[in-house]
Amino acid sequence: MLSIKIFFTKYKFYNFLKFNSKFIVILMDYLFSRKSKDLLITLAALLISSCSSSGGTSADPISMTVITNPVPTDQRYVFESFQKEAQTPFGAVTLSYGTSAFMPSDEFPSNDKYKIEDFGFLQVVLEGTHPGDDSNQDEVSLPGTWSPNGQWFEAKLNADDFLDLIYVGTSSGSREYVPQNLMITFLNDGQGHFEIAPELFINNSFPCVSGGTNWLNIQNNDPNKECGNAQDYTNGKLVADFNGDGLSDFYDTSILFLSNENGMLINVSKSNLPPLFFQDGHGQIFSHDAAYGDLDGDGDLDIFVPISDFTENGYKFGGQLDECISCNMQIPYTALINDGKGNFTANHKIPLYDYWVEYEQKDGYPMSQLWPTTAAIGDFDGDGYGDIAMGWFNPEIAHLYGFNTNSAGVIYLNNGENDWTQRDFIELPSNYFGSNGNANDMEAFDFNNDGFLDIIFASTTHDPYYQSRVIQFFLNNNGESFVDVTSETNTGYSTYVGGNPFSNYWVGQGKLQIVDYDHDGDLDIIDTTPRTYVLINNDGKFDWYEDFVDVDDDISLWPVEIDGKHHYDFIGSNVTCNQQSCTTNFFQVLDPPNKTLLDEILAKTDIYESAIVASLGAYSHARRFKAHNQLMYRFSGDSLIYGYKSDNASNLNFFTGRLDGITKGSFVGLYKDFFTSRFGVMITDNYSRQINQNKVFGNMFAIMQFKSATIFIEQMLRLDNLRINFGLDFDETTIDSFKEIGLIQSSTFKKNSSVSQNFFFDIGYTFKLREFSGSIELNYAQRNFITPFGFQDNHDFSFSANQRKNYFDGQISLNRGPLYFSINYLEDRSPILNMGFNYRLK
């Protein structure tokens, strides 16, 4: 006899039928106590061993991760405070360095990805006041207290595998005098914290590397002063291995610290840098930027310094006296050529536009000069020699020097003999802001992976001063020209075109850094400004990300990889002031941040485990169909199982069919009845398309294929119209390797196998109600599922599954002639109404 069900439609009835699933579960647990279950498992094992010649393996014990919230403890390295005192024209100033009082991370802002940790691991207090400064009408400083801050750099300061830190202090107030600022080193302990390391310097004393002078250069300052001979703040601080010993060194204008054989940083400025930085007649040297790279093709790191300064009146370049006591000379752009051991010689074979042109500037001056505010080194034409790129401070006059209107900058090509004056130059496209543009920073890397170095170019505006910012993408066209591809490459390029909508902080000043932010193997861009953001490389297109946390309105963060895992971490700062001093606390902005992120990481594979569990639950309906129903059908809201079951008089039955829904699959199996017991096997082949919604990692997409083999045994009891089945099934599932693709990162999970066991209990009851025949089915199951998902490229880490859950579902159905009507109840869902026709054909 053939039974055919034609499904018409489904409806949700929220109040039509409510089974008390909790009551049923309690009842089942009572009826089948631990002793009963143990007895049932023993009987099942005996029956399986008698019916099968092959051996079996038991599931591994279930492991459960328990996450607790311990009392916060101070894990910072607290050090004894020390001071740096100085006399200024306005009175004494004192810089104090120490560690703040402990404040746990839960007292600060956080989000699902980042949190603040180790607040005040360095605290800088600057006591003293200044009268202000209006030497630059665009950067007027009002009278008040000095404000300390600093720049942070990743460094390799010892032989371990963790990145360390170099802090270079800065202070803002009056340029008529700048307090002395120190360079301080920190060693990474490998556990996410930094320990101050004075032992890396002579006499355990951190050196002064800026300030201690009048930056307005009104009077001639001693070029041999303790803190270097640089004028004003610069983007040109460089941390790199200049002497080739595997450890980081430090360069700033007129300052060079190299690591020695003992791993200490030694000041070798006077011995290893050319004398141009220390000439009396040159005064303080100003360069807005500097860049390092291999200029001469010998494998070591050279430095390019686009000096934008002039000698003192009455002096020529080189320090000689000039017969014209009111005359001066421009100090040329300088390439510092490294001998491989950190000894640098000066090369000035670089085009220099040392003449002025008539052009009325916004401040009313009638003359102007083209000069660079940023630079980069790279082999842009692929000939093996380093070329020099520069970006203009004032592209409004570029056309007066032979360039295109509003040209952003220029590349000078190396002729192979370290001469950049002999070949034609390559001009960069126009500055985004046109005549109002101002080059701020630039970096060179191959962002489209075609083998040629490209350029990213950060610029701001003159008016309003430094309040806007854009990063342009200049694509290298086979080493012959550059094309502006900003709009199609940088999805968020216009975010700060109109300024900073979040606070009054300017966003024009910034520092570009090229790192692998998300550790996916390609290079991303971090722009450290008062509104730090990341451009995440997505196959040559860059997606905007800026969901960071800070203590105050600015989000000025310096990228530092602290733990080598997940995404990049950062160092942030918070400044508070009173009438006599300002205090700056530095802290970590960490990823992963907290329990929220940890929970999301640990739950990363839950959706895939749930898909497997759901499929096993759906396939369990195949064994429940009545003997007289040869066509099988069951709709469960998001899955539909249907198929054919034989009706064999020998009680050996074959069944097969399909599963449709989020997971699609096919199944085949057979079972054999032994008196009141049943033994069966089933094999399935499945395909599941999943969207893994995750707050931290965003939406992830994956296609998972898996196969399962199931052995089940059940005991059947009949009492008139009442049918009771209970038993066990054992499942082994093999999941093929699959890739999870997302915006921030992609992951490949390796092939693995899992084992699950399921205890089930079914009750069925048939009845007559007037002209209707009907049935009630209640099904309870308790499944334990273990799947150690692991990454393809990391054999040491796996996601422990913990899918242990009680399930309950039920169905009530009525039949009258061919009309079929049923209501299905599933755990955690609203009841589902099925209507159709049920024909029985002989």
Side-chain angles (χ1 to χ4, degrees):
M1 184 176 295
L2 187 64
S3 175
I4 302 176
K5 293 181 180 179
I6 303 175
F7 175 70
F8 280 163
T9 182
K10 64 178 182 292
Y11 302 95
K12 290 186 176 180
F13 281 74
Y14 294 96
N15 298 311
F16 187 87
L17 179 63
K18 291 286 187 180
F19 288 110
N20 193 328
S21 60
K22 184 175 182 180
F23 172 76
I24 296 296
V25 170
I26 294 174
L27 178 61
M28 294 303 101
D29 282 338
Y30 174 77
L31 291 176
F32 293 91
S33 62
R34 177 68 185 177
K35 292 181 179 180
S36 300
K37 291 181 182 178
D38 290 345
L39 178 61
L40 180 62
I41 292 172
T42 303
L43 292 173
L46 291 173
L47 182 57
I48 291 173
S49 63
S50 65
C51 297
S52 173
S53 60
S54 61
T57 59
S58 62
D60 294 332
I62 295 173
S63 60
M64 182 177 297
T65 301
V66 179
I67 301 173
T68 61
N69 292 316
V71 176
T73 58
D74 190 357
Q75 300 185 61
R76 303 170 304 163
Y77 288 91
V78 178
F79 60 90
E80 186 176 350
S81 62
F82 58 93
Q83 296 179 334
K84 182 75 172 179
E85 298 180 351
Q87 288 293 326
T88 77
F90 325 119
V93 296
T94 301
L95 272 161
S96 300
Y97 300 87
T99 310
S100 74
F102 173 62
M103 297 178 67
S105 61
D106 58 9
E107 296 187 19
F108 300 103
S110 65
N111 59 26
D112 288 333
K113 184 167 175 57
Y114 282 99
K115 77 166 183 178
I116 290 171
E117 189 66 272
D118 281 11
F119 183 86
F121 77 94
L122 173 64
Q123 181 184 80
V124 183
V125 181
L126 182 47
E127 298 180 77
T129 59
H130 61 84
D133 167 29
D134 61 359
S135 59
N136 184 337
Q137 290 300 306
D138 291 312
E139 298 181 10
V140 174
S141 174
L142 299 176
T145 52
W146 301 96
S147 179
N149 217 300
Q151 295 174 274
W152 292 87
F153 301 90
E154 290 180 324
K156 181 73 172 174
L157 299 177
N158 57 18
D160 65 22
D161 295 327
F162 304 103
L163 289 173
D164 308 303
L165 285 178
I166 290 179
Y167 162 82
V168 181
T170 62
S171 52
S172 57
S174 172
R175 292 184 179 180
E176 291 186 16
Y177 184 85
V178 179
Q180 297 175 328
N181 295 292
L182 303 183
M183 174 169 64
I184 301 177
T185 49
F186 292 84
L187 296 179
N188 191 332
D189 70 352
Q191 304 298 318
H193 308 281
F194 292 97
E195 182 175 9
I196 197 166
E199 67 273 13
L200 297 184
F201 298 96
I202 294 176
N203 299 325
N204 290 338
S205 180
F206 295 112
C208 175
V209 291
S210 71
T213 186
N214 183 332
W215 270 355
L216 295 181
N217 206 18
I218 297 174
Q219 57 192 21
N220 185 23
N221 289 274
D222 179 8
N224 300 303
K225 54 187 173 291
E226 175 192 1
C227 304
N229 195 36
Q231 179 185 348
D232 217 328
Y233 177 92
T234 174
N235 261 2
K237 298 175 179 64
L238 307 177
V239 173
D241 181 12
F242 293 115
N243 61 358
D245 65 352
L247 299 178
S248 296
D249 309 304
F250 175 79
Y251 167 86
D252 196 3
T253 312
S254 80
I255 296 175
L256 180 64
F257 280 81
L258 297 180
S259 55
N260 67 3
E261 63 276 6
N262 297 317
M264 299 177 64
L265 286 166
I266 307 299
N267 189 339
V268 295
S269 307
K270 296 294 181 61
S271 60
N272 290 47
L273 291 178
L276 71 91
F277 293 106
F278 313 104
Q279 296 286 349
D280 288 334
H282 292 176
Q284 296 181 118
I285 304 297
F286 174 71
S287 176
H288 194 273
D289 197 11
Y292 67 82
D294 188 4
L295 284 171
D296 53 1
D298 63 356
D300 57 35
L301 296 178
D302 310 301
I303 300 172
F304 174 60
V305 189
I307 297 173
S308 302
D309 208 346
F310 297 84
T311 63
E312 299 288 298
N313 287 341
Y315 287 89
K316 297 179 180 180
F317 174 66
Q320 302 91 346
L321 291 174
D322 195 330
E323 296 178 358
C324 174
I325 61 174
S326 61
C327 297
N328 59 13
M329 292 180 62
Q330 186 164 347
I331 300 174
Y333 306 146
T334 301
L336 299 176
I337 305 301
N338 191 351
D339 69 351
K341 298 181 180 180
N343 298 292
F344 293 91
T345 56
N347 180 317
H348 305 299
K349 297 178 181 179
I350 305 158
L352 179 67
Y353 299 95
D354 57 355
Y355 58 92
W356 293 66
V357 294
E358 292 185 6
Y359 190 88
E360 185 171 345
Q361 303 168 70
K362 69 172 186 176
D363 51 18
Y365 290 117
M367 303 293 290
S368 186
Q369 183 187 27
L370 189 67
W371 63 285
T373 40
T374 185
I377 291 174
D379 181 12
F380 295 105
D381 60 353
D383 65 354
Y385 296 96
D387 308 310
I388 293 171
M390 291 186 285
W392 305 128
F393 169 78
N394 43 359
E396 61 185 350
I397 60 172
H399 63 286
L400 300 178
Y401 286 82
F403 300 109
N404 292 328
T405 302
N406 300 324
S407 171
V410 67
I411 295 174
Y412 293 114
L413 300 174
N414 194 330
N415 71 344
E417 298 178 356
N418 297 333
D419 189 337
W420 293 269
T421 65
Q422 302 302 307
R423 297 178 60 188
D424 290 339
F425 58 78
I426 300 176
E427 189 172 357
L428 297 179
S430 297
N431 188 295
Y432 178 86
F433 295 108
S435 61
N436 193 31
N438 174 352
N440 179 258
D441 198 9
M442 66 194 304
E443 294 291 339
F445 77 107
D446 183 9
F447 59 70
N448 69 334
N449 294 317
D450 67 350
F452 288 92
L453 279 180
D454 310 303
I455 288 176
I456 58 170
F457 188 89
S459 57
T460 184
T461 53
H462 290 282
D463 188 16
Y465 188 73
Y466 272 77
Q467 291 189 24
S468 300
R469 189 166 184 82
V470 165
I471 295 181
Q472 294 176 261
F473 282 69
F474 296 154
L475 179 67
N476 188 336
N477 183 20
N478 298 320
E480 300 172 353
S481 63
F482 282 78
V483 180
D484 189 342
V485 294
T486 302
S487 60
E488 57 264 45
T489 306
N490 181 3
T491 60
Y493 76 94
S494 62
T495 301
Y496 295 119
V497 166
N500 181 0
F502 302 100
S503 71
N504 293 323
Y505 289 97
W506 300 346
V507 292
Q509 174 66 31
K511 182 68 176 176
L512 296 174
Q513 299 185 67
I514 310 301
V515 300
D516 186 2
Y517 167 77
D518 50 5
H519 298 297
D520 65 349
D522 56 27
L523 293 176
D524 311 298
I525 303 163
I526 299 178
D527 190 15
T528 296
T529 77
R531 193 73 190 179
T532 297
Y533 58 92
V534 181
L535 298 179
I536 299 175
N537 193 338
N538 185 11
D539 292 330
K541 307 295 182 183
F542 289 79
D543 299 313
W544 191 279
Y545 180 86
E546 60 175 356
D547 192 12
F548 300 113
V549 293
D550 205 336
V551 176
D552 45 29
D553 288 339
D554 79 313
I555 305 181
S556 185
L557 305 175
W558 296 88
V560 174
E561 184 49 85
I562 295 174
D563 53 14
K565 300 176 182 178
H566 313 296
H567 295 169
Y568 246 73
D569 310 300
F570 296 83
I571 300 296
S573 61
N574 172 245
V575 183
T576 57
C577 298
N578 56 39
Q579 293 183 346
Q580 297 299 320
S581 67
C582 284
T583 300
T584 300
N585 284 293
F586 296 96
F587 51 84
Q588 300 178 8
V589 179
L590 284 184
D591 167 40
N594 48 30
K595 183 178 180 295
T596 301
L597 177 59
L598 181 60
D599 289 347
E600 291 227 352
I601 291 176
L602 293 177
K604 188 172 174 59
T605 58
D606 280 1
I607 188 172
Y608 308 120
E609 297 162 9
S610 296
I612 297 172
V613 171
S615 73
L616 294 174
Y619 286 127
S620 67
H621 290 296
R623 64 170 177 77
R624 295 175 178 165
F625 287 99
K626 300 174 185 176
H628 61 265
N629 288 345
Q630 290 179 266
L631 285 189
M632 300 183 296
Y633 165 85
R634 184 66 175 251
F635 179 68
S636 302
D638 55 6
S639 66
L640 171 65
I641 184 171
Y642 56 91
Y644 172 80
K645 181 170 67 67
S646 67
D647 189 8
N648 195 317
S650 67
N651 291 327
L652 179 63
N653 288 275
F654 167 83
F655 57 95
T656 185
R658 292 281 303 169
L659 175 68
D660 276 335
I662 297 175
T663 298
K664 300 180 183 299
S666 57
F667 64 93
V668 62
L670 57 86
Y671 65 83
K672 172 74 173 176
D673 289 335
F674 297 91
F675 302 105
T676 60
S677 300
R678 175 177 292 170
F679 171 77
V681 296
M682 178 169 52
I683 298 174
T684 73
D685 190 2
N686 306 276
Y687 168 95
S688 184
R689 186 188 298 269
Q690 297 289 337
I691 300 178
N692 195 352
Q693 295 180 331
N694 190 292
K695 293 180 181 178
V696 175
F697 302 100
N699 287 345
M700 311 289 287
F701 303 89
I703 295 176
M704 180 176 60
Q705 293 180 285
F706 60 95
K707 298 177 176 63
S708 63
T710 299
I711 300 175
F712 62 87
I713 181 173
E714 59 182 313
Q715 180 68 35
M716 300 173 288
L717 303 178
R718 299 286 190 274
L719 182 61
D720 295 331
N721 294 339
L722 179 66
R723 173 179 52 84
I724 299 176
N725 291 354
F726 58 90
L728 288 172
D729 67 53
F730 299 91
D731 313 284
E732 182 169 357
T733 303
T734 301
I735 304 102
D736 292 341
S737 173
F738 67 95
K739 188 169 185 178
E740 186 184 57
I741 301 173
L743 174 63
I744 296 179
Q745 70 169 24
S746 297
S747 304
T748 300
F749 293 94
K750 59 187 177 184
K751 183 176 180 178
N752 61 80
S753 296
S754 67
V755 176
S756 67
Q757 58 192 32
N758 181 44
F759 165 75
F760 57 85
F761 182 87
D762 307 326
I763 297 178
Y765 180 75
T766 59
F767 59 89
K768 290 284 187 178
L769 183 63
R770 294 182 181 274
E771 294 84 4
F772 292 90
S773 60
S775 65
I776 297 175
E777 293 183 18
L778 303 177
N779 305 304
Y780 168 80
Q782 186 181 83
R783 183 178 296 279
N784 299 331
F785 182 71
I786 302 172
T787 304
F789 279 91
F791 287 120
Q792 184 73 40
D793 55 354
N794 189 338
H795 299 283
D796 299 325
F797 181 80
S798 62
F799 293 90
S800 297
N802 188 23
Q803 294 279 348
R804 182 173 185 171
K805 187 177 180 181
N806 298 330
Y807 294 89
F808 173 79
D809 63 76
Q811 175 178 285
I812 182 170
S813 61
L814 292 174
N815 296 275
R816 182 177 180 183
L819 181 63
Y820 169 79
F821 172 87
S822 71
I823 298 175
N824 290 347
Y825 172 81
L826 297 98
E827 185 104 14
D828 301 326
R829 297 181 188 177
S830 300
I832 299 172
L833 173 64
N834 292 328
M835 298 177 63
F837 290 102
N838 184 16
Y839 289 101
R840 301 179 67 189
L841 303 177
K842 293 184 179 181

